[in-house]
Amino acid sequence: MRYDDSPPQPESASSISPDRPWYARRSTLVVAAAALAPTCLAGWMVSQALSGSGSGPEQPRTLPVTASHASSPGADAKARTGAPGSASPTTTATTATGSPAAPSGPAGTPAPAKGPLAGRTVVIDPGHNTNNFQHTTEINRKVDIGTTRKECDTTGTTTASGYKEAEFSLDVSRRMKAILEARGVKVVLTHEGERAFGPCIDERARIGNAAVADAVVSVHADGTSAGNRGYHVILPARVKGGAADTAAIVAPSRELGEKIGANFARTTGSGPANYLGSGTGLVVRDDLGGLNLSTRPKVFVECGNMRDAKDAERLTSPEWRQKAAQGIADGIVGFLGG
Ligand code: ZN
């Protein structure tokens, strides 16, 4: 069944050539990701019942509890396509492998990291919270996101076998933290699953703002129809209203998102989403509180579709999650000039 109340727009679907199967496009993925032309289509997920185990992806039981960082109904109309030609021709896959290893201390222990990334701050936001499923009343409380009011937080999705998006996002976030800290970056996670629920999306944004983060990345996996595959990076639209004013972060966030997308494709072998973004792996949205309220460069990364069996096979693999973390971290490092 569908998880999106806002089905993919025709132009997105038409961008996928039916005679070019998913796997056949892999060899061009990095190139495709580097030739970024922004577009947008709001994803729309409905939270999944944990008891979906045993039911196939076509017939999961759904709970109309809350949407996962998804737009409100009708948000497709608000979703926008970025300006053509705004893609940076200099966007390239940035690899960390060419960097020299950290010097060893006198006892063979790693010396404190130095270099261009020392003193830089990155906030990683693990999407959702595994405990949100038990606190639906609390997370459904509306909070002010400047442009409108929206649910405090959402449950996120799960794979057909019950692996929670919130588990995935926290695991990848922790792996990213280790990678970035080894490069000398100060890393702050918005939560580590220690809370009863949340944090709320406005607080998630405030944590990045308060840290004066050089980059903020919210880690997610999507929950849409089986057959929809691939990653996409969500970029903030230009919005202004209440506490929301993204004018200063739109451009740097796009640069951050382009670098993350290119590196994610390189390290994971995944392609850009085949169901939105017209094959660019980039989507611009104006309805996410976590982006609208951010004053720091920020993107969301949707690493794959948990409701697709092939994507789920990747998302549930610790080895693949390490590759995903490496790709996102490499993109951040590239953005920071490391
Ligand atoms: Zn999510």
Side-chain angles (χ1 to χ4, degrees):
M1 69 173 283
R2 301 198 69 83
Y3 292 82
D4 47 340
D5 287 350
S6 52
Q9 293 177 339
E11 59 267 32
S12 296
S14 65
S15 69
I16 305 304
S17 175
D19 58 358
R20 296 188 66 201
W22 171 264
Y23 49 83
R25 297 190 290 120
R26 279 192 186 176
S27 61
T28 60
L29 292 179
V30 171
V31 173
L36 297 169
T39 183
C40 173
L41 176 66
W44 174 235
M45 305 197 297
V46 176
S47 60
Q48 304 305 311
L50 294 179
S51 57
S53 178
S55 62
E58 296 299 324
Q59 298 173 325
R61 188 167 74 85
T62 61
L63 290 177
V65 177
T66 182
S68 162
H69 58 78
S71 58
S72 56
D76 268 5
K78 292 186 287 184
R80 62 198 57 189
T81 299
S86 63
S88 168
T90 60
T91 299
T92 53
T94 304
T95 176
T97 55
S99 301
S104 294
T109 55
K114 296 179 179 176
L117 301 183
R120 310 298 291 278
T121 300
V122 170
V123 169
I124 303 172
D125 177 37
H128 316 282
N129 180 327
T130 57
N131 299 320
N132 281 357
F133 285 97
Q134 284 75 50
H135 293 274
T136 53
T137 299
E138 292 92 336
I139 66 172
N140 280 333
R141 178 177 63 84
K142 297 267 177 89
V143 297
D144 188 352
I145 67 165
T147 51
T148 185
R149 294 180 65 79
K150 203 164 178 183
E151 290 79 9
C152 151
D153 204 13
T154 48
T155 60
T157 188
T158 72
T159 65
S161 61
Y163 180 59
K164 299 185 187 95
E165 178 190 355
E167 293 177 72
F168 170 84
S169 64
L170 183 55
D171 181 82
V172 171
S173 295
R174 285 174 167 156
R175 294 172 188 273
M176 289 168 55
K177 182 173 189 282
I179 294 167
L180 290 168
E181 285 182 341
R183 301 290 301 269
V185 176
K186 177 186 177 185
V187 178
V188 176
L189 265 58
T190 58
H191 75 101
E192 294 203 61
E194 78 284 11
R195 297 180 179 226
F197 62 90
C200 294
I201 54 176
D202 55 341
E203 184 181 356
R204 291 175 188 264
R206 281 198 298 271
I207 291 170
N209 297 346
V212 196
D214 296 292
V216 187
V217 176
S218 191
V219 180
H220 292 260
D222 212 347
T224 181
S225 304
N228 290 343
R229 297 195 61 196
Y231 73 88
H232 67 280
V233 182
I234 303 174
L235 314 175
R238 182 162 182 160
V239 299
K240 186 172 176 61
D245 184 355
T246 60
I249 68 163
V250 166
S253 298
R254 173 172 290 277
E255 182 186 350
L256 172 64
E258 288 175 347
K259 291 191 183 315
I260 287 175
N263 282 281
F264 187 90
R266 175 180 57 80
T267 60
T268 64
S270 286
N274 65 359
Y275 56 99
L276 43 62
S278 298
T280 65
L282 295 176
V283 168
V284 179
R285 284 177 60 167
D286 65 2
D287 61 308
L288 296 175
L291 295 181
N292 287 6
L293 295 173
S294 182
T295 60
R296 313 304 302 169
K298 182 172 182 179
V299 300
F300 280 41
V301 181
E302 298 280 2
C303 296
N305 175 19
M306 298 199 96
R307 305 305 300 182
D308 177 86
K310 290 178 181 172
D311 267 14
E313 191 174 328
R314 293 181 165 201
L315 296 162
T316 54
S317 159
E319 292 76 20
W320 190 88
R321 291 198 296 273
Q322 186 64 30
K323 295 177 183 176
Q326 187 71 55
I328 300 170
D330 286 351
I332 295 170
V333 168
F335 174 75
L336 297 179

